[in-house]
Amino acid sequence: MGATRGNEWALCQMCRKRDLAVRGRGRIGLLVELCDSCWNRLVNDIAEEEGATATPLPDPDSDDVSWIEPPICDQCSAEIRVYPTNYDRWVSLATREMPAKDVPERYRWRLVPTPAGFVAVRVRGIDPLPSDLVLPHHRMLCVADENGNRHAS
């Protein structure tokens, strides 16, 4: 059910329409109050810019006791870690942290614990110290180019 203000529907902060689907969005705190259409348009743009275009992990069957293997990159066959972002998209991260000085700004991520599990957040605003550990986006370490061709090692 959407957020309401007294007897009125909530106002979308982007399109300014009153809609039953307007509600607070974001996994960590409240980012904005938007309708479904504006929210999807906004976060799809953010996800494209940040590289948060991974496929969500399937929910495991509660009756299945088999081992769950970590996801593998389709292009380079390396193990990856897939996490939700604060804006309900998913991102593929490397399996190990690296010092911030070794990771270009556009690839720096951190994990933030929440009651529902970890959420990946892009490191921005205040630059980390060079020795601070960050999780690089898998694209930084992938040995395949954007067309899926492997680079010679």
Side-chain angles (χ1 to χ4, degrees):
M1 194 153 94
T4 59
R5 304 283 188 282
N7 293 333
E8 299 179 18
W9 289 348
L11 184 68
C12 176
Q13 292 176 327
M14 279 181 79
C15 68
R16 312 301 293 168
K17 290 191 312 191
R18 295 199 179 277
D19 191 342
L20 188 60
V22 174
R23 62 182 175 86
R25 310 289 179 141
R27 289 179 187 259
I28 303 173
L30 178 64
L31 290 177
V32 290
E33 288 192 2
L34 298 175
C35 64
D36 291 338
S37 176
C38 290
W39 172 252
N40 284 322
R41 195 169 39 253
L42 173 68
V43 298
N44 286 341
D45 290 345
I46 294 170
E48 188 69 32
E49 176 189 329
E50 294 186 344
T53 56
T55 304
L57 296 175
D59 288 331
D61 182 3
S62 60
D63 294 332
D64 188 2
V65 293
S66 62
W67 180 258
I68 299 174
E69 294 293 332
I72 302 292
C73 174
D74 292 336
Q75 282 81 34
C76 70
S77 301
E79 285 186 7
I80 54 177
R81 295 163 76 180
V82 179
Y83 287 100
T85 65
N86 188 32
Y87 47 88
D88 296 329
R89 297 300 182 264
W90 293 74
V91 63
S92 298
L93 301 178
T95 57
R96 61 183 171 82
E97 293 178 313
M98 296 175 68
K101 66 181 173 91
D102 297 334
V103 180
E105 283 182 38
R106 68 183 180 275
Y107 296 124
R108 294 177 185 165
W109 291 78
R110 284 207 172 110
L111 297 179
V112 176
T114 68
F118 286 98
V119 173
V121 177
R122 264 284 299 285
V123 176
R124 20 173 105 199
I126 299 173
D127 287 335
L129 295 173
S131 61
D132 285 350
L133 295 177
V134 296
L135 268 171
H137 192 291
H138 175 69
R139 275 190 307 195
M140 183 189 126
L141 303 173
C142 190
V143 296
D145 62 20
E146 293 175 8
N147 298 321
N149 300 319
R150 291 181 185 234
H151 297 285
S153 300

